[in-house]
Amino acid sequence: QQQVKQSPQSLIVQKGGISIINCAYENTAFDYFPWYQQFPGKGPALLIAIRPDVSEKKEGRFTISFNKSAKQFSLHIMDSQPGDSATYFCAASMDTGRRALTFGSGTRLQVQP
Amino acid sequence: NAGVTQTPKFRILKIGQSMTLQCTQDMNHNYMYWYRQDPGMGLKLIYYSVGAGITDKGEVPNGYNVSRSTTEDFPLRLELAAPSQTSVYFCASSYRAARSDYGYTFGSGTRLTVV
């Protein structure tokens, strides 16, 4: 029940296109859902996060959509740029028990010029 | 403003050898974490700490040990290295249990190969 499933494993998008990465979770106790961005040779960095009291959060070209009933959330990258090429991880955590993030398996995004 | 510093960046160990991965943060964060990252597997939690003197196991603690004698330092110890421990190890810290909008601050990682 701690698992967070992420898809696709890899994604190729043309410059200017929309990148969509999906995640699903089982544990309904999760109540915090961040996305992390990782460039090669670097540690992941927080990109954007959402809590289940809202269905969408937008920061610049990055949007999280959250569907509580389906236990799914997704990251949309609008007007994708070559500089967005990185690995993206979804994650989830809860405020009880093990207070640490559970990460998805990651999506390698390549934005072609 | 160093953030989270991990040393070494790279290491090759022979089977059965021991080593300590160092992690130091200068942000006065109470929460610290060790993750390992394997290709296609995401990040798996090894150990975490909610404050000095307090540590707890994560998803994959076997073969590892940690200590947290100070707020700043959270070293990870491998006692008898095995090929299955070949991975990239990340240390992270957070202000409030990864739930704040500041999230985790990660170090740059240690790439460990066990041969």
Side-chain angles (χ1 to χ4, degrees):
Chain A
Q1 280 216 323
Q2 292 289 331
Q3 198 173 14
V4 177
K5 295 182 179 180
Q6 183 171 347
S7 63
Q9 188 173 2
S10 63
L11 181 63
I12 299 174
V13 173
Q14 296 298 314
K15 178 182 177 181
I18 302 173
S19 303
I20 301 174
I21 304 170
N22 301 298
C23 283
Y25 63 97
E26 290 294 325
N27 192 339
T28 55
F30 285 145
D31 61 356
Y32 174 71
F33 303 90
W35 285 89
Y36 279 74
Q37 180 187 55
Q38 183 182 31
F39 293 104
K42 303 291 186 182
L46 179 65
L47 186 63
I48 186 172
I50 197 168
R51 300 179 193 277
D53 53 341
V54 296
S55 61
E56 186 175 282
K57 183 175 181 180
K58 184 176 181 179
E59 291 185 359
R61 297 185 293 108
F62 301 91
T63 299
I64 299 179
S65 297
F66 185 81
N67 185 328
K68 188 174 182 178
S69 61
K71 292 186 286 186
Q72 295 175 347
F73 58 110
S74 60
L75 176 69
H76 296 234
I77 305 174
M78 311 300 288
D79 187 26
S80 298
Q81 299 297 312
D84 297 331
S85 297
T87 299
Y88 293 82
F89 293 95
C90 62
S93 73
M94 65 185 95
D95 201 22
T96 58
R98 182 187 300 154
R99 294 182 172 184
L101 289 172
T102 297
F103 285 87
S105 55
T107 296
R108 179 173 289 185
L109 171 65
Q110 183 180 346
V111 181
Q112 294 185 332
Chain B
N1 193 10
V4 177
T5 302
Q6 287 184 242
T7 57
K9 293 190 183 300
F10 305 93
R11 183 72 185 268
I12 298 175
L13 276 183
K14 293 184 178 179
I15 294 172
Q17 285 186 323
S18 301
M19 76 165 294
T20 299
L21 282 67
Q22 301 291 345
C23 177
T24 299
Q25 55 94 4
D26 62 358
M27 297 169 287
N28 203 32
H29 286 170
N30 282 326
Y31 296 85
M32 296 189 74
Y33 314 86
W34 275 104
Y35 285 85
R36 59 176 288 173
Q37 184 177 27
D38 300 312
M41 300 295 291
L43 292 96
K44 300 294 185 184
L45 181 67
I46 305 171
Y47 271 94
Y48 70 104
S49 169
V50 302
I54 306 169
T55 64
D56 207 348
K57 296 178 180 179
E59 301 172 74
V60 290
N62 291 342
Y64 307 95
N65 272 302
V66 294
S67 60
R68 185 93 182 273
S69 58
T70 66
T71 299
E72 295 78 19
D73 299 309
F74 190 41
L76 178 71
R77 179 79 177 164
L78 283 71
E79 289 295 346
L80 291 170
S84 61
Q85 294 178 305
T86 294
S87 188
V88 180
Y89 291 84
F90 286 101
C91 178
S93 71
S94 69
Y95 172 66
R96 181 173 169 264
R99 301 176 57 74
S100 79
D101 288 338
Y102 296 100
Y104 281 5
T105 299
F106 278 89
S108 56
T110 295
R111 184 176 294 275
L112 175 67
T113 302
V114 181
V115 296

